């Protein structure tokens, strides 16, 4: 399973806990991979759609990934990034 960490959007305590509960119930799960959101594709979105809904959202940092990892620490699955 891959989880995209988008600061202020997918890193809330409630969302992370609900995600953890859901994933913890899956069988045959090898790991959860935390992915850092980045704006490197923003120009392409503007080119194709003339808008970018995540304007003003900063790129996720290593610290953001570590914070999400800490919130998921009480669940029984491996976390990688």
């Amino acid at each position: 399973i891959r989880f995209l960490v988008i600061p202020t959007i997918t890193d809330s305590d409630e969302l992370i806990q609900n995600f953890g509960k859901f994933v913890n119930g899956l069988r045959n799960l090898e790991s959860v991979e935390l992915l850092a959101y980045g704006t490197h594709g923003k120009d392409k979105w503007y080119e194709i759609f003339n808008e970018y809904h995540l304007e003003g959202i900063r790129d996720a940092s290593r610290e953001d990934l570590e914070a999400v990892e800490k919130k998921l620490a009480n669940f029984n699955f491996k976390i990688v990034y």
Side-chain angles (χ1 to χ4, degrees):
I1 299 279
R2 291 181 174 152
F3 183 82
L4 182 61
V5 178
I6 306 173
T8 72
I9 296 178
T10 65
D11 60 353
S12 72
D13 291 341
E14 181 181 5
L15 190 143
I16 296 298
Q17 291 303 305
N18 288 334
F19 172 76
K21 289 175 189 174
F22 171 75
V23 171
N24 210 41
L26 297 176
R27 292 189 218 145
N28 300 323
L29 177 72
E30 292 183 21
S31 64
V32 170
E33 182 179 7
L34 300 180
L35 301 173
Y37 164 76
T39 56
H40 50 274
K42 181 170 74 170
D43 292 337
K44 184 62 98 177
W45 274 90
Y46 276 122
E47 184 180 314
I48 295 170
F49 302 108
N50 295 320
E51 61 184 342
Y52 185 71
H53 294 288
L54 298 178
E55 187 65 54
I57 303 295
R58 66 177 173 77
D59 290 2
S61 66
R62 179 73 174 199
E63 291 79 21
D64 293 318
L65 296 177
E66 290 170 353
V68 170
E69 180 180 22
K70 284 182 184 178
K71 292 177 185 180
L72 292 171
N74 61 328
F75 294 101
N76 190 29
F77 48 78
K78 180 180 174 182
I79 299 172
V80 297
Y81 13 125

